[in-house]
Amino acid sequence: MRTMTSWAVAGRGALIGTVVGAVEGVIWWHAEGIAIIHLFLMLLVPVPLSAMLAAGLRPPRWWATALAGPLVFALLVQTLNALLPSHSPPELPKAFYALPFVLAGTVGYAAVAWIAAGRRTWRPRIAVAAALSVLVAVILQGRAAIADWHEERAIAGLGLTLLGLDAHAYQANWSAVWRDLDEGDVPDALNMEYEPRGVAGTADVRLVGVMLVPASWGSAQDLCARPSVTQSRQTCRPLPGNRWLRADEHRQFSVTAQREDTLIEVSAPSEAEALTVLADLRPVTAETVAGYR
């Protein structure tokens, strides 16, 4: 029997991985939220599918490809996902986020098949395995920094005058960039949540929300009276200085205003606190806000 070349071995491994990655990508595509059935399928499908495909294509030591392939595939999927932004920009379709499955399968299984087929030339195979291991370890170790970098870019891309609260007086709980919200709501916004320092673990925890919206969306009055919030019996009334106050049936107060190119909405448990927080907002950087998460 003619010995299979390294290219042929890697090619068969790549074919196995491409099929596995494509199937996993399709499962992910049809998943809605955190569906348990889809989670189980994504965890269980690669092993039997890899074994079936490897047994059919018969690369050298095909059983090693069938066993090690799913593990390398899972690690590479996590690695590639760590490089992608957590919030899809509008110009990137959903299909773009299914590509890591296909790419991880193609590369991972090709490498595993090629390494498993080695007989005498183990040094280059050990080098490839070590390089992949280091790459995965470095990226997964730095995934928080990568996520912050993506978040910083998304925040800077909103074109806002960034405002936040003094870190000595308030503890930032989280921040998030919202895009393409429901009809009637703002299309692009930066949301942040704070709590006063010194009250954590007590019954008197007064959460404060700050939302920043590009002024091109409308006016402070529009932000106060937008349909997405007025549906729950909320009314807006004007305050001095082109500010607007909204109170809902749960006694949550929101004040809207405009500073330069940014609309602001501050939500707090009382009117006085909302007005105080609005007055206390100071310029911050995108890097600072990205670190709130």
Side-chain angles (χ1 to χ4, degrees), residues 166-167 169-173 193-197:
D166 187 349
Y170 286 87
Q171 170 69 46
N173 290 337
E193 184 182 83
Y194 298 86
E195 65 179 71
R197 288 193 179 275

Side-chain angles (χ1 to χ4, degrees), residues 8-77:
V9 172
R12 294 192 183 194
L15 180 58
I16 295 170
T18 300
V19 174
V20 172
V23 171
E24 290 286 274
V26 169
I27 296 173
W28 174 86
W29 177 274
H30 290 285
E32 296 181 3
I34 306 177
I36 297 299
I37 182 64
H38 290 99
L39 179 60
F40 275 117
L41 284 174
M42 294 188 73
L43 290 175
L44 298 177
V45 163
V47 175
L49 183 58
S50 298
M52 181 180 67
L53 292 171
L57 292 174
R58 305 292 294 189
R61 298 192 179 96
W62 64 269
W63 47 268
T65 301
L67 292 175
L71 176 60
V72 176
F73 168 72
L75 290 173
L76 285 179
V77 167

Side-chain angles (χ1 to χ4, degrees), residues 109-262:
Y109 278 83
V112 169
W114 180 71
I115 292 171
R119 294 179 179 177
R120 297 179 180 178
T121 57
W122 278 105
R123 287 185 179 179
R125 288 169 167 79
I126 293 174
V128 170
L132 283 175
S133 300
V134 170
L135 179 66
V136 169
V138 169
I139 292 177
L140 291 183
Q141 183 68 26
R143 67 190 311 167
I146 295 170
D148 285 345
W149 182 78
H150 283 302
E151 187 76 4
E152 183 180 342
R153 290 188 63 223
I155 292 169
L158 291 174
L160 296 166
T161 299
L162 297 177
L163 301 167
L165 292 173
D166 187 349
H168 295 290
Y170 286 87
Q171 170 69 46
N173 290 337
W174 58 266
S175 67
V177 175
W178 289 358
R179 294 186 182 273
D180 299 327
L181 300 183
D182 295 334
E183 185 177 353
D185 213 327
V186 291
D188 300 285
L190 172 63
N191 282 267
M192 297 169 284
E193 184 182 83
Y194 298 86
E195 65 179 71
R197 288 193 179 275
V199 299
T202 68
D204 185 26
V205 177
R206 306 184 310 277
L207 298 180
V208 173
V210 178
M211 181 169 70
L212 306 179
V213 181
S216 58
W217 178 81
S219 66
Q221 182 180 4
D222 295 332
L223 188 61
C224 178
R226 65 189 189 277
S228 62
V229 295
T230 55
Q231 291 174 356
S232 58
R233 301 198 305 277
Q234 302 178 90
T235 59
C236 293
R237 64 179 175 87
L239 298 175
N242 192 28
R243 297 172 300 174
W244 292 81
L245 175 69
R246 183 180 68 243
D248 64 21
E249 64 271 25
H250 305 294
R251 304 300 293 171
Q252 181 74 13
F253 295 84
S254 299
V255 176
T256 60
Q258 180 173 349
R259 291 189 192 175
E260 300 178 12
D261 56 354
T262 301

